[in-house]
Amino acid sequence: RRRRGQAPSPPTPRTPASARNPMLVALLCVDSWVTSPATGRRHTLWRSMAPACSAVPPQGAIIGSWLDDAALHDVTAGRPVIDWYPGHIAKAERLMSEVLSMVDVVVELRDARIPISTAHPMLQTWIGSRGHVLALNRRDLAPEVCLSEWTAAMGLGSGPEPVLVDAKKGTGVEELRRAILEEGRYVNERRRRRGINPRPVRAAILGYPNVGKSALINRLVGQKKAKSENRPGVTRGFCWVRIDPQVQLLDSPGIIPAKQVSQRVAYHLAMCDDIGSAAYDARSVAAALVETLALVERERPSYVRLGKMRERWGINPEDCTGGEDYINQLAEARFTGDVQRAATTIVKDFRSGLLGKMCLEWPEPDEEEEEEA
């Protein structure tokens, strides 16, 4: 209000909405970081604001655009951090060195869909001079070309060539047993030279939670000796199981690194059900899974094919603005708006193989191969 006879004051300049709310700038300028150098796509309405945008992409990009720059996209950016390290795992890790002193052969069990993420960084330290057998479980959920390429790549490296197994159906179990005996043959050869009677080869199966250790032991034994369920964290201690007169196995709880390597690894573990559900948000993991599958299909079409996913739900991920948008559309179309149920269904279908055989990681070429190319 102004007094009678007083000249009106000049109008107060209105603060732009983008200045009052910095988050609005990121939303309005989203086109600056999803622009593809291959197609030159850009939202012309906000072209002038593009220089003010952050270089960090916001959550839920436009899939059709960022797929052209797939190598630069991080599906974990802007999503909740995954952190899971229960007490029984910490205790098992402290006892690991002591327990492995009684072991002749270490059987490293990984998930065939994510062989890199399920490789424990401390494993080589624990193995030492013992025999080492590498097994890739869930071979039934990974494409054959993926298994062939991983087998060839690991065979060329310093580690052992992997044994492909399916702990549920028993495929590859007998081959794994022979590999354990071969790696532990030195034990009884040394005892024979010393005039000592032979004893069973002692082997320990190590791997992440729910990667299939107990199920594999039950297949090797031929009956249910180790407690096995389709959820992480069931095995809480070390347990010796005698397979036959020649082999004795040590079942152990799943071991997660004390220091997580990266959130990318953590999200891959959550997608494949290799860590407990209490560690992550199901919606975020489902959204990251949708974007990961779309990215892998673009980079490695033989590793992921989304045809069954499109047929099953009638929604094309490339037509959505991101993983969250895909879940929302699926919830509206099939689950009466229940977003949580839609997210849970996506992850469950991927884990069970209803979306087809898929692998999220592929072997990187050696430096020598790149130079020859």
Side-chain angles (χ1 to χ4, degrees):
R1 298 179 60 183
R2 60 185 176 86
R3 295 180 181 179
R4 184 178 300 175
Q6 182 179 0
S9 57
T12 304
R14 182 176 177 82
T15 305
S18 58
R20 297 195 306 270
N21 187 359
M23 286 299 295
L24 185 58
V25 175
L27 293 175
L28 296 179
C29 299
V30 66
D31 63 306
S32 68
W33 64 269
V34 298
T35 299
S36 168
T39 62
R41 297 176 185 171
R42 180 184 289 274
H43 298 283
T44 55
L45 180 61
W46 303 108
R47 182 187 297 271
S48 60
M49 299 184 66
C53 296
S54 170
V56 180
Q59 179 176 333
I62 298 177
I63 290 184
S65 299
W66 59 252
L67 276 176
D68 297 324
D69 304 317
L72 303 177
H73 184 70
D74 180 11
V75 299
T76 69
R79 295 194 166 102
V81 175
I82 294 178
D83 185 16
W84 186 68
Y85 197 62
H88 75 279
I89 297 292
K91 181 180 178 181
E93 191 175 52
R94 289 193 297 269
L95 294 174
M96 185 62 66
S97 299
E98 178 182 347
V99 172
L100 289 182
S101 64
M102 301 179 290
V103 170
D104 308 314
V105 178
V106 173
V107 180
E108 178 188 4
L109 193 61
R110 301 190 197 178
D111 192 321
R113 299 167 296 177
I114 48 173
I116 298 175
S117 295
T118 47
H120 200 290
M122 290 294 296
L123 192 73
Q124 293 302 322
T125 303
W126 291 332
I127 292 175
S129 60
R130 300 173 184 85
H132 181 199
V133 176
L134 174 60
L136 297 183
N137 191 27
R138 295 171 180 155
R139 59 173 297 176
D140 59 313
L141 299 177
E144 287 299 325
V145 63
C146 155
L147 299 175
S148 299
E149 290 184 6
W150 270 114
T151 300
M154 291 177 173
L156 292 174
S158 58
E161 183 174 316
V163 180
L164 306 177
V165 298
D166 179 2
K168 287 187 176 181
K169 298 179 180 179
T171 309
V173 170
E174 186 57 33
E175 183 183 352
L176 177 62
R177 179 181 174 278
R178 290 195 298 268
I180 294 173
L181 288 173
E182 180 64 26
E183 284 294 314
R185 185 175 58 180
Y186 74 94
V187 176
N188 287 320
E189 287 180 351
R190 183 174 56 190
R191 292 173 68 90
R192 192 177 299 109
R193 289 194 300 268
R194 297 177 179 178
I196 305 175
N197 292 331
R199 63 165 174 79
V201 174
R202 297 168 182 165
I205 297 184
L206 304 182
Y208 278 74
N210 203 38
V211 79
K213 298 181 299 298
S214 298
L216 182 59
I217 288 178
N218 292 332
R219 279 290 177 181
L220 286 166
V221 176
Q223 54 182 314
K224 191 170 184 180
K225 289 285 187 179
K227 188 175 182 181
S228 173
E229 295 182 23
N230 189 26
R231 60 185 178 90
V234 172
T235 304
R236 293 302 181 99
F238 295 94
C239 176
W240 285 101
V241 179
R242 193 180 183 91
I243 294 181
D244 54 36
Q246 293 181 295
V247 180
Q248 193 174 13
L249 280 180
L250 177 66
D251 189 16
S252 65
I255 306 296
I256 296 179
K259 296 180 180 179
Q260 287 186 347
V261 178
S262 68
Q263 280 301 298
R264 177 180 176 272
V265 169
Y267 266 83
H268 280 186
L269 294 172
M271 293 171 190
C272 296
D273 199 24
D274 291 324
I275 57 174
S277 59
Y280 55 83
D281 175 64
R283 295 188 191 181
S284 299
V285 170
L289 174 61
V290 171
E291 295 180 10
T292 299
L293 294 178
L295 289 168
V296 177
E297 186 185 45
R298 175 63 63 91
E299 293 291 315
R300 286 288 194 280
S302 58
Y303 278 50
V304 168
R305 298 184 186 276
L306 296 181
K308 288 188 177 180
M309 187 175 180
R310 297 182 181 99
E311 293 174 3
R312 184 172 178 80
W313 301 121
I315 302 173
N316 187 356
E318 295 186 4
D319 296 335
C320 301
T321 59
E324 285 77 7
D325 184 34
Y326 183 91
I327 295 174
N328 291 333
Q329 289 192 35
L330 179 60
E332 292 296 329
R334 298 298 182 96
F335 300 105
T336 62
D338 191 339
V339 178
Q340 186 67 27
R341 185 181 171 193
T344 304
T345 301
I346 291 172
V347 177
K348 183 179 178 181
D349 286 357
F350 165 74
R351 292 171 177 173
S352 62
L354 290 177
L355 302 181
K357 296 183 177 183
M358 299 179 176
C359 183
L360 305 184
E361 299 171 348
W362 56 87
E364 295 294 338
D366 295 335
E367 294 182 1
E368 295 181 359
E369 293 181 0
E370 291 180 349
E371 290 177 0
E372 290 178 0

